[in-house]
Amino acid sequence: MRLIAVAVVAWLATISAAATRQPTPPTSQAPDMRIDEQAVGLFVRMCNECHDTGRISSTRRTRTDWENQIGQMVEKGAKGTDKEIETLIGYLLRTFGKVYINNAQADEIVAVLTLSQKDADAIVAYRAANGKFVDFDALKKVPGIDMKKLETRQDAVGF
Ligand code: HEC
């Protein structure tokens, strides 16, 4: 089922890329990544017109940074409805997002690291009780969170 979904996404991205004569955008290697086929299509349509997607994916960005960046792109001429932009920001956060774990709210932890709300709440509660996390290993002390998933998202975590 999952394989079929991935194949469909790849196929959709190929036809949209062919339509705009641009290469398919890079996707995250994270095994848990849920590729949103609609978002990939949007990404190709909205973001590949003026510069290649490698330029976009080279830097991980926080939610605020992505929102500001997309705002600037819209000013330069990128076109999309509010709903499409929201979908795109969700995709960019999951794929090329960054979260500063010592400051982030739970919803941003969910959006970037794709952890459950419960795990994100546990991280925020642990931080409130015990102070800042000094490094990635310090997150292992938070009881009951999905460390296996978190480890696949390590490069998206900042301190
Ligand atoms: C109408 C043309 C246009 C579209 C469409 C567009 N951009 Fe841009 N983008 C630019 C320009 C112009 C620059 C900055 C100037 C430059 O190229 O040096 C830029 C720069 C960027 C940068 C900064 C790159 C860096 O090196 O710091 C990012 C990230 C980016 N765009 C992301 C996006 C995303 C995401 C989308 C889709 C929502 C998008 N762009 C759509 C024109 C566009």
mmCIF file of all heavy atoms in Angstrom, residues 57-93:
data_model
loop_
_atom_site.group_PDB
_atom_site.id
_atom_site.type_symbol
_atom_site.label_atom_id
_atom_site.label_comp_id
_atom_site.label_asym_id
_atom_site.label_seq_id
_atom_site.Cartn_x
_atom_site.Cartn_y
_atom_site.Cartn_z
ATOM 1 N N SER A 57 16.190 23.506 -1.085
ATOM 2 C CA SER A 57 16.369 22.437 -0.111
ATOM 3 C C SER A 57 17.729 22.465 0.570
ATOM 4 O O SER A 57 17.981 21.692 1.482
ATOM 5 C CB SER A 57 16.154 21.089 -0.794
ATOM 6 O OG SER A 57 17.082 20.937 -1.841
ATOM 7 N N SER A 58 18.617 23.373 0.146
ATOM 8 C CA SER A 58 19.969 23.344 0.690
ATOM 9 C C SER A 58 20.027 23.800 2.153
ATOM 10 O O SER A 58 20.959 23.466 2.860
ATOM 11 C CB SER A 58 20.897 24.195 -0.166
ATOM 12 O OG SER A 58 20.439 25.524 -0.171
ATOM 13 N N THR A 59 19.043 24.568 2.601
ATOM 14 C CA THR A 59 19.048 25.055 3.977
ATOM 15 C C THR A 59 17.767 24.639 4.681
ATOM 16 O O THR A 59 16.679 24.878 4.156
ATOM 17 C CB THR A 59 19.117 26.612 3.994
ATOM 18 O OG1 THR A 59 20.144 27.024 3.120
ATOM 19 C CG2 THR A 59 19.364 27.152 5.380
ATOM 20 N N ARG A 60 17.898 24.039 5.854
ATOM 21 C CA ARG A 60 16.712 23.771 6.670
ATOM 22 C C ARG A 60 16.254 25.071 7.313
ATOM 23 O O ARG A 60 17.080 25.890 7.709
ATOM 24 C CB ARG A 60 17.040 22.741 7.753
ATOM 25 C CG ARG A 60 17.167 21.330 7.215
ATOM 26 C CD ARG A 60 17.306 20.318 8.339
ATOM 27 N NE ARG A 60 17.195 18.968 7.821
ATOM 28 C CZ ARG A 60 16.024 18.335 7.643
ATOM 29 N NH1 ARG A 60 14.879 18.922 7.975
ATOM 30 N NH2 ARG A 60 15.991 17.119 7.155
ATOM 31 N N ARG A 61 14.924 25.242 7.408
ATOM 32 C CA ARG A 61 14.400 26.484 7.968
ATOM 33 C C ARG A 61 13.298 26.211 8.982
ATOM 34 O O ARG A 61 12.584 25.217 8.859
ATOM 35 C CB ARG A 61 13.835 27.375 6.850
ATOM 36 C CG ARG A 61 14.881 27.970 5.951
ATOM 37 C CD ARG A 61 14.242 28.794 4.833
ATOM 38 N NE ARG A 61 15.216 29.658 4.179
ATOM 39 C CZ ARG A 61 16.048 29.266 3.232
ATOM 40 N NH1 ARG A 61 16.037 28.022 2.804
ATOM 41 N NH2 ARG A 61 16.915 30.108 2.687
ATOM 42 N N THR A 62 13.151 27.128 9.931
ATOM 43 C CA THR A 62 12.075 27.026 10.928
ATOM 44 C C THR A 62 10.756 27.457 10.286
ATOM 45 O O THR A 62 10.744 28.006 9.175
ATOM 46 C CB THR A 62 12.333 27.956 12.118
ATOM 47 O OG1 THR A 62 12.347 29.298 11.617
ATOM 48 C CG2 THR A 62 13.650 27.639 12.807
ATOM 49 N N ARG A 63 9.683 27.281 11.027
ATOM 50 C CA ARG A 63 8.375 27.691 10.503
ATOM 51 C C ARG A 63 8.355 29.179 10.160
ATOM 52 O O ARG A 63 7.926 29.581 9.081
ATOM 53 C CB ARG A 63 7.273 27.380 11.521
ATOM 54 C CG ARG A 63 5.884 27.566 10.895
ATOM 55 C CD ARG A 63 4.816 27.928 11.878
ATOM 56 N NE ARG A 63 4.587 26.926 12.881
ATOM 57 C CZ ARG A 63 3.732 25.893 12.744
ATOM 58 N NH1 ARG A 63 3.058 25.742 11.644
ATOM 59 N NH2 ARG A 63 3.592 25.027 13.719
ATOM 60 N N THR A 64 8.870 30.002 11.093
ATOM 61 C CA THR A 64 8.886 31.452 10.848
ATOM 62 C C THR A 64 9.716 31.775 9.605
ATOM 63 O O THR A 64 9.299 32.580 8.769
ATOM 64 C CB THR A 64 9.490 32.190 12.063
ATOM 65 O OG1 THR A 64 8.826 31.709 13.225
ATOM 66 C CG2 THR A 64 9.325 33.674 11.965
ATOM 67 N N ASP A 65 10.875 31.131 9.499
ATOM 68 C CA ASP A 65 11.738 31.395 8.341
ATOM 69 C C ASP A 65 11.047 31.006 7.034
ATOM 70 O O ASP A 65 11.117 31.740 6.045
ATOM 71 C CB ASP A 65 13.053 30.613 8.448
ATOM 72 C CG ASP A 65 13.942 31.146 9.561
ATOM 73 O OD1 ASP A 65 13.706 32.276 10.013
ATOM 74 O OD2 ASP A 65 14.861 30.424 9.978
ATOM 75 N N TRP A 66 10.379 29.838 7.022
ATOM 76 C CA TRP A 66 9.689 29.418 5.799
ATOM 77 C C TRP A 66 8.549 30.367 5.477
ATOM 78 O O TRP A 66 8.340 30.736 4.319
ATOM 79 C CB TRP A 66 9.176 27.971 5.897
ATOM 80 C CG TRP A 66 10.208 26.952 5.517
ATOM 81 C CD1 TRP A 66 10.654 25.906 6.284
ATOM 82 C CD2 TRP A 66 10.935 26.869 4.277
ATOM 83 N NE1 TRP A 66 11.612 25.204 5.603
ATOM 84 C CE2 TRP A 66 11.808 25.757 4.377
ATOM 85 C CE3 TRP A 66 10.946 27.630 3.112
ATOM 86 C CZ2 TRP A 66 12.663 25.389 3.333
ATOM 87 C CZ3 TRP A 66 11.800 27.262 2.076
ATOM 88 C CH2 TRP A 66 12.643 26.160 2.184
ATOM 89 N N GLU A 67 7.814 30.781 6.524
ATOM 90 C CA GLU A 67 6.691 31.701 6.267
ATOM 91 C C GLU A 67 7.198 33.010 5.663
ATOM 92 O O GLU A 67 6.640 33.527 4.700
ATOM 93 C CB GLU A 67 5.910 31.953 7.565
ATOM 94 C CG GLU A 67 4.998 30.781 7.899
ATOM 95 C CD GLU A 67 4.368 30.847 9.287
ATOM 96 O OE1 GLU A 67 4.649 31.813 10.040
ATOM 97 O OE2 GLU A 67 3.610 29.923 9.623
ATOM 98 N N ASN A 68 8.290 33.542 6.246
ATOM 99 C CA ASN A 68 8.863 34.782 5.713
ATOM 100 C C ASN A 68 9.364 34.595 4.283
ATOM 101 O O ASN A 68 9.140 35.444 3.411
ATOM 102 C CB ASN A 68 10.031 35.256 6.589
ATOM 103 C CG ASN A 68 9.554 35.736 7.947
ATOM 104 O OD1 ASN A 68 8.361 36.020 8.134
ATOM 105 N ND2 ASN A 68 10.450 35.798 8.908
ATOM 106 N N GLN A 69 10.035 33.462 4.064
ATOM 107 C CA GLN A 69 10.598 33.183 2.735
ATOM 108 C C GLN A 69 9.493 33.091 1.677
ATOM 109 O O GLN A 69 9.595 33.677 0.603
ATOM 110 C CB GLN A 69 11.390 31.868 2.809
ATOM 111 C CG GLN A 69 12.218 31.582 1.586
ATOM 112 C CD GLN A 69 13.437 32.494 1.483
ATOM 113 O OE1 GLN A 69 14.152 32.683 2.452
ATOM 114 N NE2 GLN A 69 13.643 33.077 0.329
ATOM 115 N N ILE A 70 8.424 32.367 2.025
ATOM 116 C CA ILE A 70 7.325 32.220 1.058
ATOM 117 C C ILE A 70 6.659 33.577 0.825
ATOM 118 O O ILE A 70 6.287 33.906 -0.304
ATOM 119 C CB ILE A 70 6.269 31.203 1.560
ATOM 120 C CG1 ILE A 70 6.915 29.858 1.875
ATOM 121 C CG2 ILE A 70 5.108 31.060 0.571
ATOM 122 C CD1 ILE A 70 7.105 28.922 0.752
ATOM 123 N N GLY A 71 6.539 34.372 1.885
ATOM 124 C CA GLY A 71 5.979 35.720 1.733
ATOM 125 C C GLY A 71 6.781 36.513 0.708
ATOM 126 O O GLY A 71 6.214 37.166 -0.179
ATOM 127 N N GLN A 72 8.108 36.418 0.809
ATOM 128 C CA GLN A 72 8.969 37.136 -0.155
ATOM 129 C C GLN A 72 8.787 36.601 -1.570
ATOM 130 O O GLN A 72 8.797 37.353 -2.535
ATOM 131 C CB GLN A 72 10.439 36.962 0.241
ATOM 132 C CG GLN A 72 10.868 37.825 1.411
ATOM 133 C CD GLN A 72 12.296 37.509 1.841
ATOM 134 O OE1 GLN A 72 13.137 37.132 1.022
ATOM 135 N NE2 GLN A 72 12.572 37.636 3.123
ATOM 136 N N MET A 73 8.628 35.260 -1.679
ATOM 137 C CA MET A 73 8.476 34.644 -3.004
ATOM 138 C C MET A 73 7.160 35.079 -3.643
ATOM 139 O O MET A 73 7.085 35.294 -4.846
ATOM 140 C CB MET A 73 8.534 33.112 -2.901
ATOM 141 C CG MET A 73 9.884 32.584 -2.492
ATOM 142 S SD MET A 73 11.202 33.183 -3.560
ATOM 143 C CE MET A 73 12.055 34.283 -2.455
ATOM 144 N N VAL A 74 6.121 35.204 -2.820
ATOM 145 C CA VAL A 74 4.825 35.651 -3.336
ATOM 146 C C VAL A 74 4.962 37.084 -3.852
ATOM 147 O O VAL A 74 4.461 37.432 -4.917
ATOM 148 C CB VAL A 74 3.728 35.507 -2.245
ATOM 149 C CG1 VAL A 74 2.452 36.227 -2.644
ATOM 150 C CG2 VAL A 74 3.445 34.023 -1.978
ATOM 151 N N GLU A 75 5.710 37.916 -3.107
ATOM 152 C CA GLU A 75 5.947 39.292 -3.572
ATOM 153 C C GLU A 75 6.679 39.300 -4.916
ATOM 154 O O GLU A 75 6.432 40.146 -5.761
ATOM 155 C CB GLU A 75 6.791 40.067 -2.552
ATOM 156 C CG GLU A 75 5.945 40.698 -1.461
ATOM 157 C CD GLU A 75 6.806 41.296 -0.360
ATOM 158 O OE1 GLU A 75 7.952 41.698 -0.639
ATOM 159 O OE2 GLU A 75 6.308 41.345 0.778
ATOM 160 N N LYS A 76 7.577 38.326 -5.091
ATOM 161 C CA LYS A 76 8.336 38.252 -6.352
ATOM 162 C C LYS A 76 7.519 37.647 -7.482
ATOM 163 O O LYS A 76 7.934 37.695 -8.637
ATOM 164 C CB LYS A 76 9.605 37.428 -6.159
ATOM 165 C CG LYS A 76 10.655 38.131 -5.317
ATOM 166 C CD LYS A 76 11.956 37.345 -5.302
ATOM 167 C CE LYS A 76 12.885 37.776 -4.179
ATOM 168 N NZ LYS A 76 13.271 39.187 -4.264
ATOM 169 N N GLY A 77 6.378 37.035 -7.143
ATOM 170 C CA GLY A 77 5.511 36.517 -8.212
ATOM 171 C C GLY A 77 5.084 35.069 -8.095
ATOM 172 O O GLY A 77 4.379 34.574 -8.969
ATOM 173 N N ALA A 78 5.492 34.350 -7.024
ATOM 174 C CA ALA A 78 5.021 32.967 -6.844
ATOM 175 C C ALA A 78 3.511 33.016 -6.603
ATOM 176 O O ALA A 78 3.031 33.871 -5.864
ATOM 177 C CB ALA A 78 5.738 32.312 -5.668
ATOM 178 N N LYS A 79 2.785 32.081 -7.239
ATOM 179 C CA LYS A 79 1.322 32.143 -7.184
ATOM 180 C C LYS A 79 0.736 30.934 -6.474
ATOM 181 O O LYS A 79 1.077 29.800 -6.788
ATOM 182 C CB LYS A 79 0.759 32.191 -8.599
ATOM 183 C CG LYS A 79 1.201 33.426 -9.356
ATOM 184 C CD LYS A 79 0.057 34.086 -10.098
ATOM 185 C CE LYS A 79 0.414 35.468 -10.622
ATOM 186 N NZ LYS A 79 1.795 35.900 -10.547
ATOM 187 N N GLY A 80 -0.207 31.195 -5.526
ATOM 188 C CA GLY A 80 -0.903 30.111 -4.853
ATOM 189 C C GLY A 80 -1.956 30.685 -3.935
ATOM 190 O O GLY A 80 -1.825 31.826 -3.474
ATOM 191 N N THR A 81 -3.010 29.912 -3.672
ATOM 192 C CA THR A 81 -4.034 30.374 -2.728
ATOM 193 C C THR A 81 -3.482 30.224 -1.309
ATOM 194 O O THR A 81 -2.473 29.541 -1.086
ATOM 195 C CB THR A 81 -5.302 29.510 -2.848
ATOM 196 O OG1 THR A 81 -4.953 28.162 -2.469
ATOM 197 C CG2 THR A 81 -5.862 29.500 -4.254
ATOM 198 N N ASP A 82 -4.167 30.830 -0.334
ATOM 199 C CA ASP A 82 -3.733 30.710 1.064
ATOM 200 C C ASP A 82 -3.651 29.242 1.478
ATOM 201 O O ASP A 82 -2.733 28.833 2.178
ATOM 202 C CB ASP A 82 -4.706 31.450 1.989
ATOM 203 C CG ASP A 82 -4.546 32.959 1.858
ATOM 204 O OD1 ASP A 82 -3.625 33.398 1.133
ATOM 205 O OD2 ASP A 82 -5.351 33.698 2.471
ATOM 206 N N LYS A 83 -4.664 28.468 1.017
ATOM 207 C CA LYS A 83 -4.712 27.059 1.389
ATOM 208 C C LYS A 83 -3.533 26.296 0.781
ATOM 209 O O LYS A 83 -2.909 25.461 1.437
ATOM 210 C CB LYS A 83 -6.043 26.463 0.899
ATOM 211 C CG LYS A 83 -6.275 25.052 1.306
ATOM 212 C CD LYS A 83 -7.732 24.816 1.714
ATOM 213 C CE LYS A 83 -7.881 23.465 2.399
ATOM 214 N NZ LYS A 83 -7.614 22.366 1.447
ATOM 215 N N GLU A 84 -3.198 26.617 -0.472
ATOM 216 C CA GLU A 84 -2.058 25.959 -1.123
ATOM 217 C C GLU A 84 -0.747 26.319 -0.413
ATOM 218 O O GLU A 84 0.118 25.470 -0.224
ATOM 219 C CB GLU A 84 -1.986 26.374 -2.605
ATOM 220 C CG GLU A 84 -3.073 25.723 -3.443
ATOM 221 C CD GLU A 84 -3.143 26.274 -4.866
ATOM 222 O OE1 GLU A 84 -2.729 27.436 -5.106
ATOM 223 O OE2 GLU A 84 -3.623 25.543 -5.734
ATOM 224 N N ILE A 85 -0.651 27.567 -0.004
ATOM 225 C CA ILE A 85 0.566 28.002 0.678
ATOM 226 C C ILE A 85 0.710 27.285 2.017
ATOM 227 O O ILE A 85 1.801 26.844 2.393
ATOM 228 C CB ILE A 85 0.574 29.545 0.816
ATOM 229 C CG1 ILE A 85 0.809 30.154 -0.575
ATOM 230 C CG2 ILE A 85 1.629 30.011 1.815
ATOM 231 C CD1 ILE A 85 0.636 31.642 -0.659
ATOM 232 N N GLU A 86 -0.421 27.109 2.704
ATOM 233 C CA GLU A 86 -0.399 26.394 3.983
ATOM 234 C C GLU A 86 0.055 24.937 3.777
ATOM 235 O O GLU A 86 0.883 24.424 4.533
ATOM 236 C CB GLU A 86 -1.822 26.420 4.542
ATOM 237 C CG GLU A 86 -1.921 26.269 6.037
ATOM 238 C CD GLU A 86 -3.385 26.210 6.426
ATOM 239 O OE1 GLU A 86 -4.097 27.212 6.165
ATOM 240 O OE2 GLU A 86 -3.807 25.172 6.963
ATOM 241 N N THR A 87 -0.482 24.301 2.733
ATOM 242 C CA THR A 87 -0.085 22.918 2.410
ATOM 243 C C THR A 87 1.405 22.852 2.106
ATOM 244 O O THR A 87 2.115 21.963 2.563
ATOM 245 C CB THR A 87 -0.876 22.414 1.188
ATOM 246 O OG1 THR A 87 -2.261 22.530 1.479
ATOM 247 C CG2 THR A 87 -0.556 20.970 0.850
ATOM 248 N N LEU A 88 1.864 23.835 1.332
ATOM 249 C CA LEU A 88 3.266 23.874 0.939
ATOM 250 C C LEU A 88 4.171 24.076 2.152
ATOM 251 O O LEU A 88 5.205 23.411 2.286
ATOM 252 C CB LEU A 88 3.471 25.008 -0.071
ATOM 253 C CG LEU A 88 4.862 25.116 -0.655
ATOM 254 C CD1 LEU A 88 5.161 23.895 -1.509
ATOM 255 C CD2 LEU A 88 4.995 26.380 -1.469
ATOM 256 N N ILE A 89 3.780 24.960 3.054
ATOM 257 C CA ILE A 89 4.593 25.205 4.255
ATOM 258 C C ILE A 89 4.672 23.924 5.097
ATOM 259 O O ILE A 89 5.740 23.564 5.592
ATOM 260 C CB ILE A 89 4.051 26.407 5.065
ATOM 261 C CG1 ILE A 89 4.348 27.696 4.294
ATOM 262 C CG2 ILE A 89 4.674 26.467 6.461
ATOM 263 C CD1 ILE A 89 3.828 28.971 4.915
ATOM 264 N N GLY A 90 3.553 23.191 5.196
ATOM 265 C CA GLY A 90 3.562 21.914 5.914
ATOM 266 C C GLY A 90 4.573 20.954 5.314
ATOM 267 O O GLY A 90 5.357 20.321 6.024
ATOM 268 N N TYR A 91 4.573 20.883 3.990
ATOM 269 C CA TYR A 91 5.510 20.003 3.273
ATOM 270 C C TYR A 91 6.958 20.448 3.486
ATOM 271 O O TYR A 91 7.846 19.643 3.771
ATOM 272 C CB TYR A 91 5.159 20.002 1.782
ATOM 273 C CG TYR A 91 6.209 19.389 0.894
ATOM 274 C CD1 TYR A 91 6.394 18.013 0.849
ATOM 275 C CD2 TYR A 91 7.022 20.193 0.101
ATOM 276 C CE1 TYR A 91 7.372 17.450 0.039
ATOM 277 C CE2 TYR A 91 7.999 19.644 -0.716
ATOM 278 C CZ TYR A 91 8.170 18.274 -0.742
ATOM 279 O OH TYR A 91 9.138 17.726 -1.543
ATOM 280 N N LEU A 92 7.203 21.746 3.353
ATOM 281 C CA LEU A 92 8.569 22.254 3.515
ATOM 282 C C LEU A 92 9.073 22.007 4.933
ATOM 283 O O LEU A 92 10.237 21.667 5.138
ATOM 284 C CB LEU A 92 8.618 23.754 3.179
ATOM 285 C CG LEU A 92 8.398 24.096 1.701
ATOM 286 C CD1 LEU A 92 8.222 25.595 1.518
ATOM 287 C CD2 LEU A 92 9.567 23.592 0.839
ATOM 288 N N LEU A 93 8.181 22.152 5.922
ATOM 289 C CA LEU A 93 8.587 21.914 7.316
ATOM 290 C C LEU A 93 8.937 20.448 7.547
ATOM 291 O O LEU A 93 9.932 20.140 8.193
ATOM 292 C CB LEU A 93 7.475 22.326 8.276
ATOM 293 C CG LEU A 93 7.322 23.821 8.501
ATOM 294 C CD1 LEU A 93 6.161 24.093 9.427
ATOM 295 C CD2 LEU A 93 8.601 24.393 9.105
#
